[in-house]
């Protein structure tokens, strides 16, 4: 494959699931922000593991256990490379973005936060970057403050950031790319401003890690989290990256087997990171499938994927903007690969249900960003989210279906 111009049509053939009809119509899968489909390479890696290598890791001295352990740890090395981490020891395997943030909030937050401290978030956070902090705030007495969102165009009001970064702020946790708006936040700049003041930074990379090049050193954050299933990997696996010195100073999140050096009836000595945070038998096939997904994406080039997804989203946005009675959310320019919208007097769930009948898979709802929806004065939006296996013909089909829905509602 020519690395500068991937053969998108050929890549699409790697995804068996896309070749099917839904309700008698060719499937147009535009719900990639919820979860991405899996290429044959990932499915094969999982099958190979279960057919040939399945054993528990870090325990046996037999051949299968050695193979499983080697594959599990090779995935850790691969994940470090995928996001520019200095060492594999900085990579903790989790169930996903949600568990990664819960781990930081509980292990780092409970140890370091106290009454009077402030946790800074943004108004566009996914519930998984809100609720864990609310729970920790309740336990520690810390307060939560928010960087405001400007309105329908969905940008952070950056003019407010410096005044929000007070001495009381101990942690600033922010989403890289908004799943509801498609906004790409200037995380490197935000982390630099926080870092100058000694504030710990967390970046939610659920929507960025598989869509654009990511380098945690260049971002300059302290923690970065993402989910395997959104980057063509399996469900149930995710990555938490943290700076080594922070991870090593954090208490364990869960206790159990494999995270210990020695255990007595009264007291336990723990391993260093990352093993300290991986209690019990981990998801072993998950990292192996994720490894295959990371190889697959980087063979295409995430810079290519980024451009492709942005082009599709801009095309869709312009087409929707050209229709009457459509309210669009998120930035007009430099948006990530998704569009969020509402049709006048039509509930987002009706849009999604009717689109589904036409074979087009969209998402409708609050997208786990309920406070943001309320801020924008809506309960929900409809969302089309793209990935590299989508093409312009599918966007045209999506727009055609939207027009049919408008007609159905007499618009
Ligand atoms: C921005 C963002 N953060 C966090 C999450 C949570 O990811 P997961 O459910 O894989 O833990 C999502 C999932 O949609 C997301 O879009």
């Amino acid at each position: 494959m020519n690395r500068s111009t991937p053969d998108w049509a050929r890549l699409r053939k790697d995804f068996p699931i896309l070749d099917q009809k839904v309700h008698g119509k060719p499937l147009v899968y535009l719900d990639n922000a919820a979860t991405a489909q899996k290429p044959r390479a990932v499915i094969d890696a999982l099958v190979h593991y279960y057919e040939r290598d399945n054993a528990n890791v870090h325990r046996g001295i037999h051949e299968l256990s050695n193979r499983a352990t080697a594959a599990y740890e090779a995935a850790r090395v691969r994940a470090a490379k995928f996001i520019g981490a200095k060492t594999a020891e900085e990579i903790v395997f989790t169930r996903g973005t949600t568990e990664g943030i819960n781990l930081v909030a509980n292990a780092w937050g409970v140890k370091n936060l106290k009454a009077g401290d402030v946790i800074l978030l943004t108004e566009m956070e996914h519930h998984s970057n809100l609720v864990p902090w609310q729970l920790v705030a309740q336990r520690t007495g810390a307060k939560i403050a928010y960087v405001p969102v400007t309105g329908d165009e969905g940008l952070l009001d950056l003019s407010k950031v410096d005044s929000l970064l007070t001495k009381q702020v101990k942690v600033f946790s922010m989403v890289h790319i908004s799943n509801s708006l498609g906004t790409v936040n200037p995380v490197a700049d935000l982390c630099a401003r926080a870092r100058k003041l000694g504030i710990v930074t967390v970046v939610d990379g659920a929507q960025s890690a598989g869509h654009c090049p990511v380098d945690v050193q260049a971002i300059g954050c302290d923690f970065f989290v993402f989910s395997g299933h959104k980057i063509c990997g399996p469900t149930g696996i995710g990555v938490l990256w943290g700076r080594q010195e922070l991870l090593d100073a954090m208490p364990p999140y869960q206790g159990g087997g494999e995270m210990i050096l020695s255990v007595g009836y009264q007291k336990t000595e723990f391993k260093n990171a990352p093993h300290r945070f991986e209690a019990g038998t981990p998801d072993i096939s998950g990292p192996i499938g994720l490894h295959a997904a990371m190889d697959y994406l980087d063979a295409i080039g995430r810079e290519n994927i980024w451009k492709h997804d942005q082009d599709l989203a801009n095309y869709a946005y312009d087409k929707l903007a050209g229709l009457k009675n459509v309210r669009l959310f998120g930035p007009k320019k430099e948006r990530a690969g998704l569009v969020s919208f509402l049709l006048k007097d039509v509930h987002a769930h009706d849009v999604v249900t009717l689109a589904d009948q036409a074979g087009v898979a969209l998402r409708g709802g609050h997208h786990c960003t309920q406070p943001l929806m309320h801020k924008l004065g809506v309960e929900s939006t409809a969302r089309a989210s793209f990935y590299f296996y989508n093409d312009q013909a599918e966007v045209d089909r999506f727009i055609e279906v939207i027009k049919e829905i408008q007609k159905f509602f007499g618009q």
Side-chain angles (χ1 to χ4, degrees):
M1 185 192 313
N2 177 348
R3 202 179 148 85
S4 58
T5 52
D7 183 346
W8 302 112
R10 191 180 71 67
L11 288 167
R12 184 187 167 88
K13 294 202 174 77
D14 292 339
F15 292 79
I17 202 169
L18 296 175
D19 184 21
Q20 65 173 297
K21 290 192 170 163
V22 168
H23 305 302
K25 309 276 169 31
L27 169 65
V28 175
Y29 184 79
L30 303 181
D31 195 17
N32 294 288
T35 201
Q37 298 303 348
K38 319 305 170 199
R40 176 65 67 198
V42 170
I43 298 166
D44 286 350
L46 296 173
V47 170
H48 177 90
Y49 168 68
Y50 281 119
E51 282 187 352
R52 304 292 307 162
D53 300 336
N54 178 51
N56 212 330
V57 291
H58 304 136
R59 292 173 198 229
I61 316 179
H62 58 81
E63 170 63 15
L64 294 194
S65 176
N66 288 340
R67 273 194 235 153
T69 304
Y72 183 79
E73 290 304 328
R76 199 189 301 281
V77 173
R78 184 64 184 88
K81 190 166 160 226
F82 192 67
I83 56 170
K86 272 194 205 141
T87 70
E89 280 66 49
E90 294 181 329
I91 300 292
V92 180
F93 286 128
T94 62
R95 276 196 301 121
T97 304
T98 303
E99 193 180 46
I101 297 172
N102 274 279
L103 197 163
V104 176
N106 282 281
W108 181 90
V110 171
K111 184 173 175 203
N112 291 287
L113 295 171
K114 57 179 188 328
D117 288 344
V118 171
I119 299 161
L120 185 60
L121 307 175
T122 83
E123 284 183 345
M124 65 171 78
E125 295 311 316
H126 189 278
H127 294 166
S128 63
N129 198 26
L130 277 172
V131 184
W133 295 112
Q134 289 177 355
L135 292 171
V136 167
Q138 279 164 18
R139 280 173 70 185
T140 59
K143 296 263 174 304
I144 304 180
Y146 293 92
V147 179
V149 168
T150 50
D152 281 10
E153 87 270 43
L155 297 170
L156 289 180
D157 185 348
L158 298 173
S159 69
K160 300 279 191 319
V161 172
D162 284 337
S163 60
L164 282 163
L165 287 172
T166 60
K167 274 211 306 279
Q168 285 72 36
V169 176
K170 294 290 175 308
V171 57
F172 183 9
S173 190
M174 68 202 85
V175 69
H176 193 173
I177 291 177
S178 160
N179 62 308
S180 301
L181 302 163
T183 314
V184 186
N185 287 321
V187 286
D189 173 53
L190 294 173
C191 290
R193 292 202 219 178
R195 202 170 176 72
K196 264 194 219 144
L197 304 168
I199 296 165
V200 165
T201 50
V202 185
V203 173
D204 169 354
Q207 298 295 340
S208 62
H211 291 265
C212 58
V214 165
D215 181 337
V216 291
Q217 312 296 334
I219 293 173
C221 51
D222 293 301
F223 296 102
F224 185 92
V225 286
F226 68 94
S227 301
H229 70 95
K230 291 186 197 283
I231 75 159
C232 298
T235 48
I237 184 66
V239 166
L240 160 66
W241 168 82
R243 286 185 193 279
Q244 188 82 56
E245 61 277 18
L246 289 176
L247 289 177
D248 282 342
M250 279 156 54
Y253 171 50
Q254 293 178 336
E258 292 307 312
M259 46 80 75
I260 54 90
L261 284 175
S262 68
V263 182
Y265 281 120
Q266 302 297 336
K267 199 167 173 296
T268 292
E269 305 262 345
F270 306 113
K271 283 184 181 160
N272 279 341
H275 304 288
R276 171 185 303 194
F277 301 108
E278 293 175 4
T281 298
D283 178 1
I284 303 165
S285 62
I288 291 169
L290 180 62
H291 190 158
M294 293 185 288
D295 282 351
Y296 184 84
L297 292 181
D298 280 347
I300 302 170
R302 273 176 285 167
E303 65 287 356
N304 289 325
I305 293 174
W306 184 234
K307 176 152 190 329
H308 174 276
D309 294 359
Q310 278 194 312
D311 286 350
L312 281 191
N314 289 336
Y315 181 71
Y317 186 94
D318 290 346
K319 291 270 176 191
L320 285 171
L323 301 179
K324 282 204 194 104
N325 298 323
V326 177
R327 180 172 167 190
L328 283 152
F329 300 88
K332 290 195 176 66
K333 285 193 196 132
E334 293 172 31
R335 58 175 38 253
L338 64 91
V339 285
S340 221
F341 63 98
L342 276 177
L343 304 185
K344 188 161 178 271
D345 300 331
V346 186
H347 196 284
H349 285 162
D350 291 335
V351 173
V352 175
T353 305
L354 289 168
D356 176 55
Q357 292 304 311
V360 179
L362 303 175
R363 171 91 182 254
H366 50 61
H367 313 294
C368 296
T369 53
Q370 227 168 17
L372 173 67
M373 294 290 126
H374 292 161
K375 157 114 191 185
L376 299 174
V378 299
E379 284 300 319
S380 56
T381 71
R383 181 186 71 192
S385 51
F386 309 101
Y387 216 180
F388 58 89
Y389 41 70
N390 294 124
D391 59 24
Q392 196 169 311
E394 288 183 308
V395 180
D396 287 336
R397 173 74 187 132
F398 155 62
I399 297 294
E400 198 179 290
V401 167
I402 294 299
K403 285 185 191 163
E404 283 165 16
I405 294 171
Q406 286 188 314
K407 211 187 268 170
F408 180 81
F409 282 96
Q411 294 179 5

